[in-house]
Amino acid sequence: MDKKLIGAIMAFSLAGSLLFSGCSSKNQNTGEQTAEESMIQDVKSEVTLGEYKGLPVTVEKLPDVTDDEVTDAVMAAVENASVTGEITDRAVASGDTVNVDYTGYMDGEEIPESSVEDYNILIGSGVFFNGAESSLIGVMPGETANISVTYPEGYPQEDLVGKNAVYQVTVNYIVSEEQAELTDEFVSQISDCQTVDEYRQMVREALETSRENEREQNRRNAVWDKVLENAQVVAYNSGEVQEIVDQYTSYDQSAARDFEMSLEDYVQTYQGVTMDEYTAAIEDIAKQEIKERLVIDAIAQAENINGDNATDEEIQKCSQQQGYDAVDAYKQDRGSDGMAEDVKGLRVVDFVVDSAQITEE
């Protein structure tokens, strides 16, 4: 499993898994194993398929994108944006962000590689030689100020530490930030659109694509959930279960160390569960993962489905499903065998979804 997904899966899966983990894994009255625990044996994991072809499934019918939704999305982009301007008719004040050009001089000679142009400095931030930028207060845009500095300890150029220099700083303008407005100029800055109408159409198309993707994902989830529901695991291999449990636990132990916490404190604080509930939940997740793999393999064998000769589109889908931003990173992490397994799983789900009788209502 791609470790980048584990945290997100844990947050989602724990909530659902805990609904079913209220009972102890052993019968407290007799000491006998429950039916669930008796399935965890040192034998090969095995599943018996139920019906998986032509399944009748009903899913929620999602509405079409409305004009109001388009308007809300457009205005959200505007409200979350600001536009910058240039103020040139007043002097620099504390708290201003100013755009400057500067060059350093030592003993009247220009310091190599000390010239910088079009640089923004927040007055009072202390980023310019421990606050030397405050010397620009009162300077008008277009004027140049000479600022005396001493190179501090830790300066990247060690040969300059402790030496004095003068920086000639020209204030180009004071940067202003204002709430954006929905104009042709604004949309051209944040998109490839040239007009507001073009931008609205682009947003509508993006929302419609997203809505259709949601419909498709709902259909796939509903059909696949039914396939898994119809299948029955005959046995779980305890080693396989423990391997997956260890993956989840290792991830959370690493996260706990980052917070300088014990695993128990971490899961109680950030996942809202006790260690017993946590252990039961990740064991349920491990079993679910094993069951899903077994069902995929069984259907693939029955229908002669494999992951050979994957298309670029299939690899892209698998990459996205596993949370990768770049296909190349996915390919490197999964390798040819891992990608073949992923594509086989994709094709199995495609097969059962294509054969299903799906009703939207």
mmCIF file of all heavy atoms in Angstrom, residues 82-114:
data_model
loop_
_atom_site.group_PDB
_atom_site.id
_atom_site.type_symbol
_atom_site.label_atom_id
_atom_site.label_comp_id
_atom_site.label_asym_id
_atom_site.label_seq_id
_atom_site.Cartn_x
_atom_site.Cartn_y
_atom_site.Cartn_z
ATOM 1 N N SER A 82 -6.606 38.570 -3.949
ATOM 2 C CA SER A 82 -6.337 39.993 -3.839
ATOM 3 C C SER A 82 -5.500 40.415 -5.041
ATOM 4 O O SER A 82 -4.845 39.581 -5.667
ATOM 5 C CB SER A 82 -5.590 40.316 -2.539
ATOM 6 O OG SER A 82 -4.348 39.638 -2.504
ATOM 7 N N VAL A 83 -5.551 41.661 -5.358
ATOM 8 C CA VAL A 83 -4.761 42.182 -6.471
ATOM 9 C C VAL A 83 -3.763 43.191 -5.914
ATOM 10 O O VAL A 83 -4.050 43.901 -4.948
ATOM 11 C CB VAL A 83 -5.654 42.848 -7.543
ATOM 12 C CG1 VAL A 83 -6.513 41.813 -8.228
ATOM 13 C CG2 VAL A 83 -6.526 43.936 -6.934
ATOM 14 N N THR A 84 -2.588 43.208 -6.493
ATOM 15 C CA THR A 84 -1.560 44.124 -6.033
ATOM 16 C C THR A 84 -1.498 45.363 -6.922
ATOM 17 O O THR A 84 -1.748 45.291 -8.128
ATOM 18 C CB THR A 84 -0.182 43.442 -6.034
ATOM 19 O OG1 THR A 84 0.131 42.996 -7.361
ATOM 20 C CG2 THR A 84 -0.179 42.247 -5.087
ATOM 21 N N GLY A 85 -1.175 46.474 -6.287
ATOM 22 C CA GLY A 85 -1.009 47.721 -7.013
ATOM 23 C C GLY A 85 0.260 48.415 -6.577
ATOM 24 O O GLY A 85 1.014 47.906 -5.723
ATOM 25 N N GLU A 86 0.533 49.550 -7.156
ATOM 26 C CA GLU A 86 1.744 50.292 -6.852
ATOM 27 C C GLU A 86 1.386 51.684 -6.342
ATOM 28 O O GLU A 86 0.675 52.434 -7.020
ATOM 29 C CB GLU A 86 2.625 50.413 -8.096
ATOM 30 C CG GLU A 86 3.034 49.066 -8.666
ATOM 31 C CD GLU A 86 3.869 49.209 -9.944
ATOM 32 O OE1 GLU A 86 4.177 50.374 -10.310
ATOM 33 O OE2 GLU A 86 4.202 48.182 -10.565
ATOM 34 N N ILE A 87 1.847 52.005 -5.134
ATOM 35 C CA ILE A 87 1.633 53.329 -4.541
ATOM 36 C C ILE A 87 2.927 54.124 -4.690
ATOM 37 O O ILE A 87 4.007 53.673 -4.268
ATOM 38 C CB ILE A 87 1.250 53.209 -3.059
ATOM 39 C CG1 ILE A 87 -0.045 52.408 -2.903
ATOM 40 C CG2 ILE A 87 1.109 54.591 -2.430
ATOM 41 C CD1 ILE A 87 -0.407 52.113 -1.460
ATOM 42 N N THR A 88 2.821 55.289 -5.277
ATOM 43 C CA THR A 88 4.025 56.115 -5.496
ATOM 44 C C THR A 88 3.883 57.544 -4.977
ATOM 45 O O THR A 88 4.793 58.356 -5.162
ATOM 46 C CB THR A 88 4.346 56.164 -7.006
ATOM 47 O OG1 THR A 88 3.222 56.723 -7.705
ATOM 48 C CG2 THR A 88 4.660 54.777 -7.542
ATOM 49 N N ASP A 89 2.728 57.835 -4.335
ATOM 50 C CA ASP A 89 2.474 59.230 -3.954
ATOM 51 C C ASP A 89 2.592 59.490 -2.458
ATOM 52 O O ASP A 89 2.116 60.508 -1.953
ATOM 53 C CB ASP A 89 1.091 59.661 -4.441
ATOM 54 C CG ASP A 89 -0.030 58.807 -3.871
ATOM 55 O OD1 ASP A 89 0.273 57.823 -3.157
ATOM 56 O OD2 ASP A 89 -1.205 59.105 -4.145
ATOM 57 N N ARG A 90 3.219 58.600 -1.732
ATOM 58 C CA ARG A 90 3.447 58.856 -0.309
ATOM 59 C C ARG A 90 4.739 58.167 0.109
ATOM 60 O O ARG A 90 5.273 57.297 -0.589
ATOM 61 C CB ARG A 90 2.279 58.364 0.550
ATOM 62 C CG ARG A 90 2.102 56.861 0.597
ATOM 63 C CD ARG A 90 1.120 56.467 1.697
ATOM 64 N NE ARG A 90 0.857 55.030 1.757
ATOM 65 C CZ ARG A 90 1.638 54.148 2.376
ATOM 66 N NH1 ARG A 90 2.764 54.550 2.977
ATOM 67 N NH2 ARG A 90 1.311 52.873 2.395
ATOM 68 N N ALA A 91 5.216 58.543 1.307
ATOM 69 C CA ALA A 91 6.469 57.982 1.817
ATOM 70 C C ALA A 91 6.229 56.608 2.454
ATOM 71 O O ALA A 91 5.119 56.257 2.859
ATOM 72 C CB ALA A 91 7.089 58.938 2.838
ATOM 73 N N VAL A 92 7.297 55.868 2.547
ATOM 74 C CA VAL A 92 7.251 54.539 3.160
ATOM 75 C C VAL A 92 6.965 54.663 4.651
ATOM 76 O O VAL A 92 7.510 55.544 5.342
ATOM 77 C CB VAL A 92 8.585 53.800 2.947
ATOM 78 C CG1 VAL A 92 8.600 52.480 3.702
ATOM 79 C CG2 VAL A 92 8.853 53.589 1.471
ATOM 80 N N ALA A 93 6.095 53.775 5.144
ATOM 81 C CA ALA A 93 5.757 53.747 6.568
ATOM 82 C C ALA A 93 5.989 52.339 7.112
ATOM 83 O O ALA A 93 6.082 51.362 6.364
ATOM 84 C CB ALA A 93 4.307 54.169 6.772
ATOM 85 N N SER A 94 6.081 52.236 8.438
ATOM 86 C CA SER A 94 6.248 50.934 9.077
ATOM 87 C C SER A 94 5.071 50.032 8.719
ATOM 88 O O SER A 94 3.917 50.463 8.735
ATOM 89 C CB SER A 94 6.334 51.095 10.591
ATOM 90 O OG SER A 94 6.477 49.831 11.213
ATOM 91 N N GLY A 95 5.364 48.791 8.395
ATOM 92 C CA GLY A 95 4.323 47.841 8.021
ATOM 93 C C GLY A 95 4.077 47.780 6.529
ATOM 94 O O GLY A 95 3.370 46.885 6.063
ATOM 95 N N ASP A 96 4.651 48.714 5.769
ATOM 96 C CA ASP A 96 4.512 48.672 4.308
ATOM 97 C C ASP A 96 5.365 47.550 3.727
ATOM 98 O O ASP A 96 6.424 47.199 4.262
ATOM 99 C CB ASP A 96 4.980 49.991 3.673
ATOM 100 C CG ASP A 96 3.970 51.118 3.818
ATOM 101 O OD1 ASP A 96 2.798 50.823 4.083
ATOM 102 O OD2 ASP A 96 4.379 52.286 3.660
ATOM 103 N N THR A 97 4.892 47.019 2.620
ATOM 104 C CA THR A 97 5.740 46.177 1.784
ATOM 105 C C THR A 97 6.212 47.043 0.626
ATOM 106 O O THR A 97 5.394 47.640 -0.075
ATOM 107 C CB THR A 97 4.974 44.957 1.250
ATOM 108 O OG1 THR A 97 4.581 44.131 2.349
ATOM 109 C CG2 THR A 97 5.838 44.144 0.296
ATOM 110 N N VAL A 98 7.520 47.137 0.465
ATOM 111 C CA VAL A 98 8.068 48.007 -0.571
ATOM 112 C C VAL A 98 8.857 47.188 -1.577
ATOM 113 O O VAL A 98 9.509 46.200 -1.232
ATOM 114 C CB VAL A 98 8.960 49.120 0.026
ATOM 115 C CG1 VAL A 98 8.137 50.059 0.890
ATOM 116 C CG2 VAL A 98 10.101 48.531 0.835
ATOM 117 N N ASN A 99 8.786 47.621 -2.819
ATOM 118 C CA ASN A 99 9.554 46.983 -3.879
ATOM 119 C C ASN A 99 10.811 47.817 -4.098
ATOM 120 O O ASN A 99 10.734 49.032 -4.310
ATOM 121 C CB ASN A 99 8.733 46.902 -5.157
ATOM 122 C CG ASN A 99 9.484 46.209 -6.271
ATOM 123 O OD1 ASN A 99 10.229 46.848 -7.013
ATOM 124 N ND2 ASN A 99 9.286 44.905 -6.392
ATOM 125 N N VAL A 100 11.978 47.150 -4.035
ATOM 126 C CA VAL A 100 13.238 47.883 -4.084
ATOM 127 C C VAL A 100 14.239 47.224 -5.026
ATOM 128 O O VAL A 100 14.118 46.053 -5.380
ATOM 129 C CB VAL A 100 13.882 47.979 -2.676
ATOM 130 C CG1 VAL A 100 12.945 48.667 -1.698
ATOM 131 C CG2 VAL A 100 14.275 46.593 -2.170
ATOM 132 N N ASP A 101 15.238 48.036 -5.407
ATOM 133 C CA ASP A 101 16.481 47.551 -6.015
ATOM 134 C C ASP A 101 17.599 47.953 -5.062
ATOM 135 O O ASP A 101 17.545 49.038 -4.461
ATOM 136 C CB ASP A 101 16.741 48.203 -7.380
ATOM 137 C CG ASP A 101 15.618 47.968 -8.376
ATOM 138 O OD1 ASP A 101 14.907 46.949 -8.247
ATOM 139 O OD2 ASP A 101 15.446 48.823 -9.270
ATOM 140 N N TYR A 102 18.599 47.079 -4.886
ATOM 141 C CA TYR A 102 19.689 47.492 -4.008
ATOM 142 C C TYR A 102 21.026 46.892 -4.457
ATOM 143 O O TYR A 102 21.080 45.863 -5.123
ATOM 144 C CB TYR A 102 19.414 47.154 -2.543
ATOM 145 C CG TYR A 102 19.265 45.692 -2.215
ATOM 146 C CD1 TYR A 102 20.383 44.865 -2.085
ATOM 147 C CD2 TYR A 102 18.010 45.138 -1.984
ATOM 148 C CE1 TYR A 102 20.258 43.530 -1.756
ATOM 149 C CE2 TYR A 102 17.861 43.799 -1.653
ATOM 150 C CZ TYR A 102 18.986 42.997 -1.543
ATOM 151 O OH TYR A 102 18.866 41.678 -1.225
ATOM 152 N N THR A 103 22.086 47.596 -4.056
ATOM 153 C CA THR A 103 23.457 47.152 -4.327
ATOM 154 C C THR A 103 24.313 47.478 -3.108
ATOM 155 O O THR A 103 24.184 48.554 -2.510
ATOM 156 C CB THR A 103 24.047 47.865 -5.564
ATOM 157 O OG1 THR A 103 23.233 47.583 -6.692
ATOM 158 C CG2 THR A 103 25.475 47.377 -5.832
ATOM 159 N N GLY A 104 25.187 46.539 -2.729
ATOM 160 C CA GLY A 104 26.055 46.751 -1.577
ATOM 161 C C GLY A 104 27.430 47.272 -1.984
ATOM 162 O O GLY A 104 27.974 46.884 -3.038
ATOM 163 N N TYR A 105 27.991 48.141 -1.123
ATOM 164 C CA TYR A 105 29.318 48.712 -1.378
ATOM 165 C C TYR A 105 30.166 48.594 -0.114
ATOM 166 O O TYR A 105 29.671 48.747 1.006
ATOM 167 C CB TYR A 105 29.221 50.178 -1.778
ATOM 168 C CG TYR A 105 28.527 50.390 -3.114
ATOM 169 C CD1 TYR A 105 27.136 50.505 -3.180
ATOM 170 C CD2 TYR A 105 29.265 50.472 -4.289
ATOM 171 C CE1 TYR A 105 26.499 50.692 -4.397
ATOM 172 C CE2 TYR A 105 28.637 50.661 -5.519
ATOM 173 C CZ TYR A 105 27.253 50.768 -5.563
ATOM 174 O OH TYR A 105 26.622 50.954 -6.777
ATOM 175 N N MET A 106 31.437 48.314 -0.331
ATOM 176 C CA MET A 106 32.381 48.259 0.778
ATOM 177 C C MET A 106 33.640 49.024 0.366
ATOM 178 O O MET A 106 34.233 48.731 -0.687
ATOM 179 C CB MET A 106 32.721 46.797 1.119
ATOM 180 C CG MET A 106 33.602 46.644 2.361
ATOM 181 S SD MET A 106 33.891 44.896 2.756
ATOM 182 C CE MET A 106 32.219 44.393 3.202
ATOM 183 N N ASP A 107 34.003 50.017 1.172
ATOM 184 C CA ASP A 107 35.156 50.869 0.858
ATOM 185 C C ASP A 107 35.025 51.476 -0.535
ATOM 186 O O ASP A 107 36.013 51.606 -1.286
ATOM 187 C CB ASP A 107 36.462 50.067 0.955
ATOM 188 C CG ASP A 107 36.706 49.528 2.360
ATOM 189 O OD1 ASP A 107 36.308 50.218 3.334
ATOM 190 O OD2 ASP A 107 37.264 48.430 2.482
ATOM 191 N N GLY A 108 33.788 51.836 -0.903
ATOM 192 C CA GLY A 108 33.529 52.493 -2.171
ATOM 193 C C GLY A 108 33.465 51.570 -3.363
ATOM 194 O O GLY A 108 33.156 52.020 -4.478
ATOM 195 N N GLU A 109 33.722 50.274 -3.148
ATOM 196 C CA GLU A 109 33.697 49.312 -4.242
ATOM 197 C C GLU A 109 32.442 48.441 -4.141
ATOM 198 O O GLU A 109 32.034 48.030 -3.045
ATOM 199 C CB GLU A 109 34.940 48.418 -4.208
ATOM 200 C CG GLU A 109 36.254 49.164 -4.369
ATOM 201 C CD GLU A 109 36.418 49.728 -5.775
ATOM 202 O OE1 GLU A 109 35.868 49.123 -6.723
ATOM 203 O OE2 GLU A 109 37.081 50.783 -5.918
ATOM 204 N N GLU A 110 31.855 48.185 -5.302
ATOM 205 C CA GLU A 110 30.659 47.331 -5.316
ATOM 206 C C GLU A 110 31.011 45.917 -4.877
ATOM 207 O O GLU A 110 32.006 45.338 -5.335
ATOM 208 C CB GLU A 110 30.047 47.306 -6.718
ATOM 209 C CG GLU A 110 28.776 46.474 -6.801
ATOM 210 C CD GLU A 110 28.136 46.524 -8.183
ATOM 211 O OE1 GLU A 110 28.291 47.558 -8.881
ATOM 212 O OE2 GLU A 110 27.484 45.521 -8.566
ATOM 213 N N ILE A 111 30.195 45.370 -3.998
ATOM 214 C CA ILE A 111 30.393 43.998 -3.516
ATOM 215 C C ILE A 111 29.888 43.039 -4.592
ATOM 216 O O ILE A 111 28.749 43.160 -5.042
ATOM 217 C CB ILE A 111 29.635 43.762 -2.196
ATOM 218 C CG1 ILE A 111 30.112 44.758 -1.133
ATOM 219 C CG2 ILE A 111 29.805 42.323 -1.720
ATOM 220 C CD1 ILE A 111 29.284 44.748 0.131
ATOM 221 N N PRO A 112 30.712 42.113 -5.028
ATOM 222 C CA PRO A 112 30.277 41.173 -6.066
ATOM 223 C C PRO A 112 29.004 40.435 -5.673
ATOM 224 O O PRO A 112 28.833 40.021 -4.518
ATOM 225 C CB PRO A 112 31.464 40.209 -6.189
ATOM 226 C CG PRO A 112 32.637 40.995 -5.712
ATOM 227 C CD PRO A 112 32.102 41.873 -4.612
ATOM 228 N N GLU A 113 28.112 40.309 -6.639
ATOM 229 C CA GLU A 113 26.861 39.550 -6.476
ATOM 230 C C GLU A 113 25.974 40.129 -5.380
ATOM 231 O O GLU A 113 25.188 39.397 -4.757
ATOM 232 C CB GLU A 113 27.152 38.077 -6.204
ATOM 233 C CG GLU A 113 27.947 37.395 -7.307
ATOM 234 C CD GLU A 113 28.188 35.920 -7.026
ATOM 235 O OE1 GLU A 113 27.726 35.434 -5.969
ATOM 236 O OE2 GLU A 113 28.839 35.277 -7.852
ATOM 237 N N SER A 114 26.078 41.424 -5.130
ATOM 238 C CA SER A 114 25.240 42.037 -4.081
ATOM 239 C C SER A 114 24.046 42.787 -4.647
ATOM 240 O O SER A 114 23.208 43.273 -3.879
ATOM 241 C CB SER A 114 26.077 43.012 -3.238
ATOM 242 O OG SER A 114 26.464 44.146 -4.022
#
